[in-house]
Amino acid sequence: MIGVKIRNIQKTFGSQVVLRDISLDIEAGEMIAIVGPSGTGKSVMLKIITGLMSPDSGEVYIGDECMTVLASGARRQHLAERLGVLFQGAALLDSMTLYDNLAFPLRYRGGFSRKEIQRRCFKCLGEVGLIGYENALPGEVSIGIKKRLGIARALITEPDVILFDEPNTGLDPEAGQEIYDLIKHTKKISGCTGIVISHEIPEVFQVCDRVVMLYQGMVEASGSIDEFLGSKSEVVQQFVKGSVEGPIEIQ
């Protein structure tokens, strides 16, 4: 298992400062929730951690290796391969079957035999309860099944770190709980380090060891669930209570 270290990350888009000197440590094997209102930089942070976006300044370390300042693109790719991601919309390829969507990362990287790809695919399909769906196309299944396959695809490369971007977006409460149960199961079977990006309070608490709240591009609070709920920050309390009154402007 490895951890993730974020050091002095700054990101702007034009005149808008999205992340302001963010530093954060995620211990090996820890599952944290990064929460906050919409537009506070949560998804931008995820893209920077995964290497999909470069910060204006600062570093991200996967284990002891920095992936934001490495000169070698090949080395950055190697570090990115240690990460698994469940994207907000599952990000499946509509023209491929669920099996081929799952197999795609292994085929793209190369070095895996057909037998090994098949073994891993059916193992991951079994973990998320999708045996029997392998020949279906994404357009033929529900968003909940797509999310399940997204989790399987995050697991298929046996990553050290898994990131979940708003895992319950678009799901009804029952399907959403199934996804949280799968996240807990994923943590149990893999022992991986996990980062869950979410705005769902208190539902996300069931899968995390620690809560980090971003507000106006900065870390507003960080601590255990009890410490977070007991924070004296007016921003935290407004967010927890879902109140329209307070420093957070409702957009």
Short mmCIF file of all heavy atoms in Angstrom, two decimals, residues 132-168:
data_model
loop_
_atom_site.label_atom_id
_atom_site.label_comp_id
_atom_site.label_asym_id
_atom_site.label_seq_id
_atom_site.Cartn_x
_atom_site.Cartn_y
_atom_site.Cartn_z
N GLY A 132 -22.89 -12.29 -16.13
CA GLY A 132 -24.08 -12.40 -16.95
C GLY A 132 -24.38 -11.14 -17.75
O GLY A 132 -25.18 -11.17 -18.68
N TYR A 133 -23.70 -10.04 -17.39
CA TYR A 133 -23.89 -8.77 -18.11
C TYR A 133 -22.75 -8.48 -19.09
O TYR A 133 -22.75 -7.44 -19.74
CB TYR A 133 -23.99 -7.61 -17.13
CG TYR A 133 -25.28 -7.52 -16.37
CD1 TYR A 133 -25.46 -8.22 -15.19
CD2 TYR A 133 -26.34 -6.75 -16.83
CE1 TYR A 133 -26.65 -8.15 -14.47
CE2 TYR A 133 -27.53 -6.67 -16.14
CZ TYR A 133 -27.68 -7.37 -14.95
OH TYR A 133 -28.86 -7.30 -14.26
N GLU A 134 -21.78 -9.37 -19.19
CA GLU A 134 -20.56 -9.05 -19.92
C GLU A 134 -20.78 -8.72 -21.39
O GLU A 134 -20.01 -7.96 -21.98
CB GLU A 134 -19.53 -10.18 -19.77
CG GLU A 134 -20.02 -11.54 -20.18
CD GLU A 134 -20.64 -12.33 -19.04
OE1 GLU A 134 -20.96 -11.73 -17.98
OE2 GLU A 134 -20.81 -13.54 -19.20
N ASN A 135 -21.82 -9.26 -22.02
CA ASN A 135 -22.05 -9.01 -23.44
C ASN A 135 -23.01 -7.85 -23.71
O ASN A 135 -23.28 -7.52 -24.86
CB ASN A 135 -22.59 -10.27 -24.11
CG ASN A 135 -21.55 -11.38 -24.15
OD1 ASN A 135 -20.37 -11.12 -24.36
ND2 ASN A 135 -21.98 -12.61 -23.92
N ALA A 136 -23.51 -7.21 -22.65
CA ALA A 136 -24.41 -6.07 -22.82
C ALA A 136 -23.62 -4.83 -23.22
O ALA A 136 -22.43 -4.69 -22.91
CB ALA A 136 -25.17 -5.81 -21.53
N LEU A 137 -24.28 -3.92 -23.91
CA LEU A 137 -23.70 -2.62 -24.25
C LEU A 137 -24.11 -1.60 -23.19
O LEU A 137 -25.16 -1.74 -22.55
CB LEU A 137 -24.19 -2.16 -25.63
CG LEU A 137 -23.70 -2.98 -26.83
CD1 LEU A 137 -24.46 -2.58 -28.09
CD2 LEU A 137 -22.19 -2.80 -27.02
N PRO A 138 -23.30 -0.55 -22.98
CA PRO A 138 -23.64 0.45 -21.96
C PRO A 138 -25.04 1.04 -22.13
O PRO A 138 -25.72 1.32 -21.14
CB PRO A 138 -22.55 1.50 -22.16
CG PRO A 138 -21.38 0.73 -22.65
CD PRO A 138 -21.96 -0.32 -23.54
N GLY A 139 -25.48 1.21 -23.38
CA GLY A 139 -26.80 1.79 -23.61
C GLY A 139 -27.95 0.86 -23.24
O GLY A 139 -29.11 1.30 -23.22
N GLU A 140 -27.64 -0.39 -22.94
CA GLU A 140 -28.67 -1.37 -22.61
C GLU A 140 -28.84 -1.61 -21.13
O GLU A 140 -29.68 -2.40 -20.71
CB GLU A 140 -28.33 -2.71 -23.30
CG GLU A 140 -28.27 -2.62 -24.82
CD GLU A 140 -27.75 -3.88 -25.48
OE1 GLU A 140 -27.07 -4.68 -24.78
OE2 GLU A 140 -28.01 -4.07 -26.68
N VAL A 141 -28.04 -0.93 -20.31
CA VAL A 141 -28.08 -1.17 -18.86
C VAL A 141 -28.33 0.14 -18.12
O VAL A 141 -28.19 1.23 -18.66
CB VAL A 141 -26.77 -1.82 -18.36
CG1 VAL A 141 -26.54 -3.16 -19.04
CG2 VAL A 141 -25.57 -0.90 -18.59
N SER A 142 -28.68 0.03 -16.84
CA SER A 142 -28.99 1.18 -16.01
C SER A 142 -27.72 1.92 -15.59
O SER A 142 -26.60 1.38 -15.68
CB SER A 142 -29.74 0.74 -14.75
OG SER A 142 -28.88 -0.02 -13.91
N ILE A 143 -27.89 3.15 -15.10
CA ILE A 143 -26.75 3.92 -14.60
C ILE A 143 -26.10 3.22 -13.42
O ILE A 143 -24.89 3.26 -13.24
CB ILE A 143 -27.17 5.37 -14.24
CG1 ILE A 143 -25.97 6.19 -13.76
CG2 ILE A 143 -28.26 5.36 -13.17
CD1 ILE A 143 -24.89 6.39 -14.79
N GLY A 144 -26.92 2.51 -12.60
CA GLY A 144 -26.35 1.77 -11.47
C GLY A 144 -25.40 0.68 -11.92
O GLY A 144 -24.33 0.48 -11.32
N ILE A 145 -25.77 -0.04 -12.98
CA ILE A 145 -24.90 -1.08 -13.51
C ILE A 145 -23.64 -0.46 -14.12
O ILE A 145 -22.53 -0.99 -13.97
CB ILE A 145 -25.66 -1.95 -14.53
CG1 ILE A 145 -26.69 -2.81 -13.81
CG2 ILE A 145 -24.70 -2.83 -15.34
CD1 ILE A 145 -27.57 -3.65 -14.72
N LYS A 146 -23.81 0.69 -14.78
CA LYS A 146 -22.63 1.37 -15.32
C LYS A 146 -21.67 1.75 -14.21
O LYS A 146 -20.44 1.62 -14.35
CB LYS A 146 -23.06 2.62 -16.09
CG LYS A 146 -23.82 2.34 -17.38
CD LYS A 146 -24.26 3.64 -18.03
CE LYS A 146 -25.13 3.39 -19.25
NZ LYS A 146 -25.61 4.65 -19.86
N LYS A 147 -22.22 2.24 -13.09
CA LYS A 147 -21.36 2.61 -11.96
C LYS A 147 -20.64 1.38 -11.40
O LYS A 147 -19.46 1.44 -11.04
CB LYS A 147 -22.19 3.27 -10.86
CG LYS A 147 -22.76 4.62 -11.24
CD LYS A 147 -21.80 5.74 -10.92
CE LYS A 147 -22.50 7.09 -11.05
NZ LYS A 147 -21.64 8.20 -10.64
N ARG A 148 -21.37 0.27 -11.31
CA ARG A 148 -20.74 -0.97 -10.85
C ARG A 148 -19.58 -1.36 -11.75
O ARG A 148 -18.51 -1.76 -11.28
CB ARG A 148 -21.76 -2.11 -10.82
CG ARG A 148 -22.79 -2.04 -9.73
CD ARG A 148 -23.58 -3.33 -9.73
NE ARG A 148 -24.68 -3.31 -8.81
CZ ARG A 148 -25.33 -4.39 -8.41
NH1 ARG A 148 -24.96 -5.58 -8.88
NH2 ARG A 148 -26.33 -4.31 -7.59
N LEU A 149 -19.80 -1.27 -13.06
CA LEU A 149 -18.73 -1.62 -13.99
C LEU A 149 -17.57 -0.63 -13.84
O LEU A 149 -16.41 -1.02 -13.96
CB LEU A 149 -19.22 -1.63 -15.43
CG LEU A 149 -18.17 -2.25 -16.36
CD1 LEU A 149 -18.20 -3.77 -16.25
CD2 LEU A 149 -18.35 -1.83 -17.79
N GLY A 150 -17.90 0.64 -13.56
CA GLY A 150 -16.83 1.62 -13.33
C GLY A 150 -15.95 1.23 -12.16
O GLY A 150 -14.73 1.41 -12.20
N ILE A 151 -16.57 0.70 -11.10
CA ILE A 151 -15.79 0.22 -9.95
C ILE A 151 -14.93 -0.97 -10.35
O ILE A 151 -13.76 -1.06 -9.99
CB ILE A 151 -16.71 -0.12 -8.77
CG1 ILE A 151 -17.35 1.15 -8.21
CG2 ILE A 151 -15.94 -0.85 -7.67
CD1 ILE A 151 -18.35 0.92 -7.09
N ALA A 152 -15.53 -1.90 -11.11
CA ALA A 152 -14.76 -3.06 -11.58
C ALA A 152 -13.56 -2.62 -12.41
O ALA A 152 -12.46 -3.16 -12.29
CB ALA A 152 -15.66 -4.00 -12.38
N ARG A 153 -13.78 -1.62 -13.29
CA ARG A 153 -12.68 -1.14 -14.13
C ARG A 153 -11.61 -0.45 -13.29
O ARG A 153 -10.42 -0.52 -13.61
CB ARG A 153 -13.21 -0.20 -15.20
CG ARG A 153 -12.19 0.12 -16.27
CD ARG A 153 -12.76 0.93 -17.39
NE ARG A 153 -13.35 2.17 -16.90
CZ ARG A 153 -14.04 3.02 -17.66
NH1 ARG A 153 -14.23 2.75 -18.94
NH2 ARG A 153 -14.53 4.12 -17.16
N ALA A 154 -12.02 0.21 -12.21
CA ALA A 154 -11.02 0.82 -11.32
C ALA A 154 -10.18 -0.25 -10.63
O ALA A 154 -9.01 -0.01 -10.29
CB ALA A 154 -11.72 1.70 -10.27
N LEU A 155 -10.76 -1.43 -10.42
CA LEU A 155 -10.05 -2.52 -9.74
C LEU A 155 -9.21 -3.38 -10.68
O LEU A 155 -8.29 -4.06 -10.24
CB LEU A 155 -11.07 -3.44 -9.05
CG LEU A 155 -11.74 -2.94 -7.78
CD1 LEU A 155 -12.90 -3.86 -7.41
CD2 LEU A 155 -10.72 -2.88 -6.65
N ILE A 156 -9.51 -3.37 -11.98
CA ILE A 156 -8.97 -4.36 -12.91
C ILE A 156 -7.45 -4.35 -12.99
O ILE A 156 -6.82 -5.38 -13.21
CB ILE A 156 -9.58 -4.16 -14.33
CG1 ILE A 156 -9.31 -5.37 -15.21
CG2 ILE A 156 -9.06 -2.89 -14.99
CD1 ILE A 156 -10.14 -6.57 -14.86
N THR A 157 -6.84 -3.19 -12.78
CA THR A 157 -5.38 -3.10 -12.87
C THR A 157 -4.70 -3.32 -11.52
O THR A 157 -3.49 -3.16 -11.40
CB THR A 157 -4.96 -1.73 -13.43
OG1 THR A 157 -5.50 -0.70 -12.59
CG2 THR A 157 -5.46 -1.54 -14.86
N GLU A 158 -5.50 -3.67 -10.50
CA GLU A 158 -4.99 -3.90 -9.15
C GLU A 158 -4.18 -2.70 -8.65
O GLU A 158 -3.00 -2.82 -8.31
CB GLU A 158 -4.17 -5.19 -9.11
CG GLU A 158 -5.00 -6.42 -9.52
CD GLU A 158 -4.21 -7.72 -9.56
OE1 GLU A 158 -2.97 -7.68 -9.39
OE2 GLU A 158 -4.84 -8.77 -9.75
N PRO A 159 -4.83 -1.52 -8.60
CA PRO A 159 -4.11 -0.28 -8.26
C PRO A 159 -3.80 -0.16 -6.77
O PRO A 159 -4.40 -0.86 -5.94
CB PRO A 159 -5.11 0.81 -8.69
CG PRO A 159 -6.43 0.17 -8.46
CD PRO A 159 -6.25 -1.28 -8.86
N ASP A 160 -2.91 0.74 -6.45
CA ASP A 160 -2.58 1.05 -5.06
C ASP A 160 -3.52 2.10 -4.48
O ASP A 160 -3.73 2.15 -3.26
CB ASP A 160 -1.14 1.59 -4.96
CG ASP A 160 -0.12 0.56 -5.38
OD1 ASP A 160 -0.08 -0.52 -4.77
OD2 ASP A 160 0.63 0.82 -6.34
N VAL A 161 -4.05 2.97 -5.34
CA VAL A 161 -4.92 4.06 -4.92
C VAL A 161 -6.15 4.08 -5.83
O VAL A 161 -6.00 3.97 -7.05
CB VAL A 161 -4.21 5.43 -5.00
CG1 VAL A 161 -5.14 6.56 -4.53
CG2 VAL A 161 -2.92 5.43 -4.19
N ILE A 162 -7.35 4.19 -5.24
CA ILE A 162 -8.57 4.30 -6.04
C ILE A 162 -9.26 5.61 -5.69
O ILE A 162 -9.41 5.97 -4.52
CB ILE A 162 -9.52 3.12 -5.81
CG1 ILE A 162 -8.85 1.80 -6.17
CG2 ILE A 162 -10.79 3.30 -6.65
CD1 ILE A 162 -9.75 0.58 -6.02
N LEU A 163 -9.68 6.33 -6.73
CA LEU A 163 -10.39 7.60 -6.56
C LEU A 163 -11.82 7.45 -7.08
O LEU A 163 -12.03 6.94 -8.18
CB LEU A 163 -9.67 8.73 -7.30
CG LEU A 163 -8.21 8.96 -6.88
CD1 LEU A 163 -7.26 8.26 -7.85
CD2 LEU A 163 -7.89 10.44 -6.83
N PHE A 164 -12.77 7.89 -6.28
CA PHE A 164 -14.19 7.80 -6.63
C PHE A 164 -14.73 9.21 -6.76
O PHE A 164 -14.83 9.94 -5.78
CB PHE A 164 -14.96 7.05 -5.54
CG PHE A 164 -14.44 5.68 -5.22
CD1 PHE A 164 -13.43 5.49 -4.27
CD2 PHE A 164 -14.94 4.56 -5.87
CE1 PHE A 164 -12.96 4.23 -3.97
CE2 PHE A 164 -14.48 3.28 -5.57
CZ PHE A 164 -13.47 3.12 -4.63
N ASP A 165 -15.10 9.60 -7.98
CA ASP A 165 -15.58 10.96 -8.24
C ASP A 165 -17.11 10.98 -8.21
O ASP A 165 -17.76 10.50 -9.14
CB ASP A 165 -15.08 11.45 -9.59
CG ASP A 165 -15.40 12.92 -9.84
OD1 ASP A 165 -15.82 13.61 -8.89
OD2 ASP A 165 -15.22 13.38 -10.98
N GLU A 166 -17.68 11.55 -7.13
CA GLU A 166 -19.14 11.63 -6.97
C GLU A 166 -19.79 10.30 -7.35
O GLU A 166 -20.56 10.21 -8.31
CB GLU A 166 -19.71 12.76 -7.83
CG GLU A 166 -19.19 14.14 -7.48
CD GLU A 166 -19.84 14.72 -6.22
OE1 GLU A 166 -20.63 14.02 -5.56
OE2 GLU A 166 -19.54 15.89 -5.90
N PRO A 167 -19.50 9.23 -6.60
CA PRO A 167 -19.93 7.89 -7.02
C PRO A 167 -21.43 7.70 -7.12
O PRO A 167 -21.89 6.79 -7.82
CB PRO A 167 -19.34 6.97 -5.94
CG PRO A 167 -19.10 7.86 -4.76
CD PRO A 167 -18.74 9.19 -5.34
N ASN A 168 -22.23 8.54 -6.44
CA ASN A 168 -23.68 8.32 -6.44
C ASN A 168 -24.46 9.29 -7.30
O ASN A 168 -25.69 9.33 -7.24
CB ASN A 168 -24.21 8.39 -5.00
CG ASN A 168 -23.88 7.13 -4.23
OD1 ASN A 168 -23.24 6.23 -4.76
ND2 ASN A 168 -24.30 7.06 -2.99
#
